[in-house]
Amino acid sequence: MAVNRATDRQALSVAEAHLARVAHEGLAGHPHLAALTTVTHVHTARDLSDAVHLLCQLYGRHPGLIEIALGNCPAGPVRDWLLAASDSFERERLFLVRLTAAVGPVPSTPGASDTETTLLAQRHALETLARSERSGCALGAATALIGDWRAIRGVLDCAAGRSNMEVPVSTMPDEESLTSAINHGASGMAAERALGFGGEQLLLQNRGLFDLLEARASARGDS
């Protein structure tokens, strides 16, 4: 019993560290996200439209990261969590796809071919994380995506509000659910390291996307 309690405490610390990583290395503190959700100027609608379209190119496709991870996960609590997360994320994906029509076309921006190259590389990186054979890596990426999506959802909600589009209620897994999934998936030091790696790489891709959005806004003279 004492060994089980020690294991539970260790697993919880892994979950706490992972969620703290999302909070500190994710999009919540990105300056361009703050500009999109808190600053109103003549170019805000155009910048929001750009964000929605690029987010859709990265996360609006099916199957996405969570679905690919689900397809490679053996039966058990982690697979059960991925199945529930996949259902919830599908609602977010459909919202994102509908939103691209509501916000209008992609703003004309210099360097469009470079943007497509970057997005292609990012999609490949996400698929690689989802298909990783390292136990814990795909779960780390999936849980980081769910955690970081709260910040992304703020952008989507702002864009929907400006487009007079109804904002659906989010059904994404909460922190307790994320913690439970990590506790079940972080079994051993190797899995813990893989989970951390998957999370770090996912957050890196998200920050890279918003760096790109910020650079595109600057190229258009929007900032």
Side-chain angles (χ1 to χ4, degrees), residues 4 39 46 50 60 73 109 127-128 134-135 156 208 223:
N4 288 339
V39 178
R46 188 163 58 181
D50 201 36
C73 184
T109 307
E127 290 180 7
T128 299
R134 294 177 61 190
S135 177
L156 302 186
S223 60

PDB file of all heavy atoms in Angstrom, residues 4 39 46 50 60 73 109 127-128 134-135 156 208 223:
ATOM      1  N   ASN A   4       2.192   1.885  -3.399  1.00  0.00           N
ATOM      2  CA  ASN A   4       1.181   2.446  -4.284  1.00  0.00           C
ATOM      3  C   ASN A   4       0.997   3.931  -4.040  1.00  0.00           C
ATOM      4  O   ASN A   4       0.845   4.712  -4.973  1.00  0.00           O
ATOM      5  CB  ASN A   4      -0.159   1.731  -4.087  1.00  0.00           C
ATOM      6  CG  ASN A   4      -0.136   0.318  -4.669  1.00  0.00           C
ATOM      7  OD1 ASN A   4       0.686   0.020  -5.526  1.00  0.00           O
ATOM      8  ND2 ASN A   4      -1.019  -0.538  -4.185  1.00  0.00           N
ATOM      9  N   VAL A  39      -6.755  43.548 -27.974  1.00  0.00           N
ATOM     10  CA  VAL A  39      -6.544  44.827 -28.647  1.00  0.00           C
ATOM     11  C   VAL A  39      -7.529  44.952 -29.809  1.00  0.00           C
ATOM     12  O   VAL A  39      -7.688  44.018 -30.597  1.00  0.00           O
ATOM     13  CB  VAL A  39      -5.097  44.953 -29.174  1.00  0.00           C
ATOM     14  CG1 VAL A  39      -4.919  46.262 -29.914  1.00  0.00           C
ATOM     15  CG2 VAL A  39      -4.111  44.853 -28.012  1.00  0.00           C
ATOM     16  N   ARG A  46      -8.842  41.423 -39.621  1.00  0.00           N
ATOM     17  CA  ARG A  46      -7.987  40.769 -40.610  1.00  0.00           C
ATOM     18  C   ARG A  46      -7.010  39.808 -39.934  1.00  0.00           C
ATOM     19  O   ARG A  46      -6.784  38.695 -40.425  1.00  0.00           O
ATOM     20  CB  ARG A  46      -7.239  41.836 -41.416  1.00  0.00           C
ATOM     21  CG  ARG A  46      -6.468  41.273 -42.588  1.00  0.00           C
ATOM     22  CD  ARG A  46      -6.097  42.343 -43.583  1.00  0.00           C
ATOM     23  NE  ARG A  46      -5.288  43.413 -42.999  1.00  0.00           N
ATOM     24  CZ  ARG A  46      -4.859  44.468 -43.694  1.00  0.00           C
ATOM     25  NH1 ARG A  46      -5.187  44.594 -44.970  1.00  0.00           N
ATOM     26  NH2 ARG A  46      -4.127  45.391 -43.117  1.00  0.00           N
ATOM     27  N   ASP A  50      -6.807  35.698 -40.327  1.00  0.00           N
ATOM     28  CA  ASP A  50      -5.568  34.995 -40.646  1.00  0.00           C
ATOM     29  C   ASP A  50      -5.319  33.871 -39.648  1.00  0.00           C
ATOM     30  O   ASP A  50      -4.957  32.750 -40.024  1.00  0.00           O
ATOM     31  CB  ASP A  50      -4.407  35.993 -40.638  1.00  0.00           C
ATOM     32  CG  ASP A  50      -3.210  35.509 -41.436  1.00  0.00           C
ATOM     33  OD1 ASP A  50      -3.413  34.859 -42.486  1.00  0.00           O
ATOM     34  OD2 ASP A  50      -2.069  35.785 -41.022  1.00  0.00           O
ATOM     35  N   GLY A  60      -7.536  21.710 -38.420  1.00  0.00           N
ATOM     36  CA  GLY A  60      -8.869  21.461 -38.948  1.00  0.00           C
ATOM     37  C   GLY A  60      -8.976  20.212 -39.802  1.00  0.00           C
ATOM     38  O   GLY A  60     -10.060  19.887 -40.289  1.00  0.00           O
ATOM     39  N   CYS A  73      -2.862   3.468 -30.014  1.00  0.00           N
ATOM     40  CA  CYS A  73      -2.816   3.253 -28.562  1.00  0.00           C
ATOM     41  C   CYS A  73      -3.508   1.941 -28.190  1.00  0.00           C
ATOM     42  O   CYS A  73      -4.631   1.679 -28.643  1.00  0.00           O
ATOM     43  CB  CYS A  73      -3.511   4.422 -27.857  1.00  0.00           C
ATOM     44  SG  CYS A  73      -3.418   4.352 -26.056  1.00  0.00           S
ATOM     45  N   THR A 109      -1.102  38.254 -48.053  1.00  0.00           N
ATOM     46  CA  THR A 109       0.096  38.502 -47.244  1.00  0.00           C
ATOM     47  C   THR A 109       1.340  38.136 -48.037  1.00  0.00           C
ATOM     48  O   THR A 109       1.380  37.072 -48.669  1.00  0.00           O
ATOM     49  CB  THR A 109       0.064  37.648 -45.951  1.00  0.00           C
ATOM     50  OG1 THR A 109      -1.172  37.868 -45.264  1.00  0.00           O
ATOM     51  CG2 THR A 109       1.228  38.008 -45.040  1.00  0.00           C
ATOM     52  N   GLU A 127       2.157  14.908 -36.833  1.00  0.00           N
ATOM     53  CA  GLU A 127       1.903  13.505 -37.160  1.00  0.00           C
ATOM     54  C   GLU A 127       3.007  12.602 -36.610  1.00  0.00           C
ATOM     55  O   GLU A 127       2.733  11.491 -36.153  1.00  0.00           O
ATOM     56  CB  GLU A 127       1.784  13.343 -38.680  1.00  0.00           C
ATOM     57  CG  GLU A 127       0.518  13.953 -39.256  1.00  0.00           C
ATOM     58  CD  GLU A 127       0.426  13.772 -40.759  1.00  0.00           C
ATOM     59  OE1 GLU A 127       1.283  13.048 -41.322  1.00  0.00           O
ATOM     60  OE2 GLU A 127      -0.481  14.350 -41.372  1.00  0.00           O
ATOM     61  N   THR A 128       4.239  13.082 -36.664  1.00  0.00           N
ATOM     62  CA  THR A 128       5.352  12.301 -36.129  1.00  0.00           C
ATOM     63  C   THR A 128       5.187  12.084 -34.630  1.00  0.00           C
ATOM     64  O   THR A 128       5.411  10.979 -34.114  1.00  0.00           O
ATOM     65  CB  THR A 128       6.690  13.012 -36.419  1.00  0.00           C
ATOM     66  OG1 THR A 128       6.862  13.135 -37.834  1.00  0.00           O
ATOM     67  CG2 THR A 128       7.857  12.228 -35.845  1.00  0.00           C
ATOM     68  N   ARG A 134       7.464   5.736 -28.910  1.00  0.00           N
ATOM     69  CA  ARG A 134       7.910   5.929 -27.529  1.00  0.00           C
ATOM     70  C   ARG A 134       6.682   6.064 -26.631  1.00  0.00           C
ATOM     71  O   ARG A 134       5.871   6.970 -26.795  1.00  0.00           O
ATOM     72  CB  ARG A 134       8.775   7.180 -27.406  1.00  0.00           C
ATOM     73  CG  ARG A 134      10.096   7.122 -28.130  1.00  0.00           C
ATOM     74  CD  ARG A 134      10.827   8.448 -28.002  1.00  0.00           C
ATOM     75  NE  ARG A 134      11.133   8.797 -26.617  1.00  0.00           N
ATOM     76  CZ  ARG A 134      11.590   9.982 -26.226  1.00  0.00           C
ATOM     77  NH1 ARG A 134      11.771  10.947 -27.123  1.00  0.00           N
ATOM     78  NH2 ARG A 134      11.849  10.214 -24.954  1.00  0.00           N
ATOM     79  N   SER A 135       6.519   5.173 -25.707  1.00  0.00           N
ATOM     80  CA  SER A 135       5.364   5.183 -24.812  1.00  0.00           C
ATOM     81  C   SER A 135       5.308   6.501 -24.046  1.00  0.00           C
ATOM     82  O   SER A 135       6.263   6.880 -23.373  1.00  0.00           O
ATOM     83  CB  SER A 135       5.455   4.016 -23.828  1.00  0.00           C
ATOM     84  OG  SER A 135       4.387   4.045 -22.903  1.00  0.00           O
ATOM     85  N   LEU A 156     -10.561  31.921 -31.145  1.00  0.00           N
ATOM     86  CA  LEU A 156     -11.707  31.500 -31.947  1.00  0.00           C
ATOM     87  C   LEU A 156     -12.988  32.191 -31.483  1.00  0.00           C
ATOM     88  O   LEU A 156     -13.812  32.613 -32.309  1.00  0.00           O
ATOM     89  CB  LEU A 156     -11.876  29.982 -31.879  1.00  0.00           C
ATOM     90  CG  LEU A 156     -10.690  29.120 -32.323  1.00  0.00           C
ATOM     91  CD1 LEU A 156     -11.079  27.650 -32.321  1.00  0.00           C
ATOM     92  CD2 LEU A 156     -10.172  29.544 -33.685  1.00  0.00           C
ATOM     93  N   GLY A 208       5.357  28.410 -32.560  1.00  0.00           N
ATOM     94  CA  GLY A 208       5.853  28.702 -33.895  1.00  0.00           C
ATOM     95  C   GLY A 208       4.753  29.206 -34.812  1.00  0.00           C
ATOM     96  O   GLY A 208       4.972  30.116 -35.621  1.00  0.00           O
ATOM     97  N   SER A 223       0.736  45.614 -37.664  1.00  0.00           N
ATOM     98  CA  SER A 223       1.219  45.810 -36.298  1.00  0.00           C
ATOM     99  C   SER A 223       2.481  46.661 -36.300  1.00  0.00           C
ATOM    100  O   SER A 223       3.010  46.981 -37.353  1.00  0.00           O
ATOM    101  CB  SER A 223       1.531  44.435 -35.664  1.00  0.00           C
ATOM    102  OG  SER A 223       2.518  43.740 -36.395  1.00  0.00           O
TER     103      SER A 223
END
